[in-house]
């Protein structure tokens, strides 16, 4: 069964940092599928719609939503079938459940996500 499992969330004070990981497992991700696909980090804050935070293409090109530019960095390790999101200078507005999925369009069911809480 194909799965994307997110981890690395937690509580952090404003200005702090966290690194999220998303590991792909399952038969569908064997071979070149993971390597040749784009992946994105999305988030859903309380009472808000889910939004794309950052995306990384098959070729390594990246995009970020304006509010996280210069603070977040998305990367991938194809050998480990893992996508990372390094988050620096975290703000209370970054509080949300973070998910990974296909990019540029989420194509699969959402996983459990990982909760990020930024507060003092």
């Amino acid at each position: 069964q194909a799965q994307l499992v997110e981890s690395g969330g937690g509580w952090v004070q404003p200005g702090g940092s966290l690194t999220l990981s998303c590991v792909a497992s399952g038969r569908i991700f064997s071979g070149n599928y993971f390597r040749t696909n784009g992946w994105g980090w999305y988030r859903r804050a309380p009472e808000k719609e889910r939004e794309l935070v950052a995306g990384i293409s098959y070729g390594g090109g990246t995009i970020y939503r304006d509010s996280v530019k210069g603070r977040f960095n998305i990367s991938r390790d194809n050998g480990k079938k893992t996508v990372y999101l390094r988050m620096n200078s975290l703000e209370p507005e970054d509080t949300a459940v973070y998910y990974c999925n296909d990019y540029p369009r989420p194509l699969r069911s959402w996983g459990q996500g990982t909760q990020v809480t930024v507060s003092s």
Side-chain angles (χ1 to χ4, degrees), residues 24-52:
S25 65
R27 183 179 301 177
I28 193 172
F29 294 114
S30 63
N32 290 322
Y33 183 86
F34 183 89
R35 184 178 64 82
T36 59
N37 201 40
W39 299 104
W41 280 98
Y42 303 77
R43 68 186 180 189
R44 187 168 190 173
E47 301 182 357
K48 292 188 177 180
E49 296 292 319
R50 199 179 332 248
E51 60 188 16
L52 175 67

Side-chain angles (χ1 to χ4, degrees), residues 2 4 12 21 27 30 43-44 46 54 60 63 70-72 75 82 88 90 92 98-99 102 107 116-118:
L4 295 171
V12 64
S21 299
R27 183 179 301 177
S30 63
R43 68 186 180 189
R44 187 168 190 173
I63 63 95
R71 300 189 296 121
F72 289 13
S75 61
T82 301
N88 297 318
L90 282 160
Y98 284 71
Y99 306 86
D102 301 72
L107 299 177
V116 172
T117 303
V118 185

Side-chain angles (χ1 to χ4, degrees), residues 6-120:
E6 304 93 346
S7 64
W11 173 83
V12 64
Q13 292 184 331
S17 299
L18 285 172
T19 299
L20 307 183
S21 299
C22 171
V23 179
S25 65
R27 183 179 301 177
I28 193 172
F29 294 114
S30 63
N32 290 322
Y33 183 86
F34 183 89
R35 184 178 64 82
T36 59
N37 201 40
W39 299 104
W41 280 98
Y42 303 77
R43 68 186 180 189
R44 187 168 190 173
E47 301 182 357
K48 292 188 177 180
E49 296 292 319
R50 199 179 332 248
E51 60 188 16
L52 175 67
V53 176
I56 185 165
S57 70
Y58 152 62
T62 58
I63 63 95
Y64 300 90
R65 68 182 304 104
D66 287 347
S67 62
V68 308
K69 283 181 181 177
R71 300 189 296 121
F72 289 13
N73 183 71
I74 187 171
S75 61
R76 62 192 296 166
D77 185 330
N78 291 328
K80 295 181 179 180
K81 295 184 173 56
T82 301
V83 185
Y84 302 98
L85 185 68
R86 174 64 177 179
M87 306 185 295
N88 297 318
S89 302
L90 282 160
E91 304 169 352
E93 293 73 22
D94 297 317
T95 294
V97 179
Y98 284 71
Y99 306 86
C100 62
N101 210 311
D102 301 72
Y103 165 80
R105 287 182 300 139
L107 299 177
R108 63 195 71 244
S109 299
W110 296 100
Q112 294 294 313
T114 185
Q115 174 71 48
V116 172
T117 303
V118 185
S119 71
S120 54

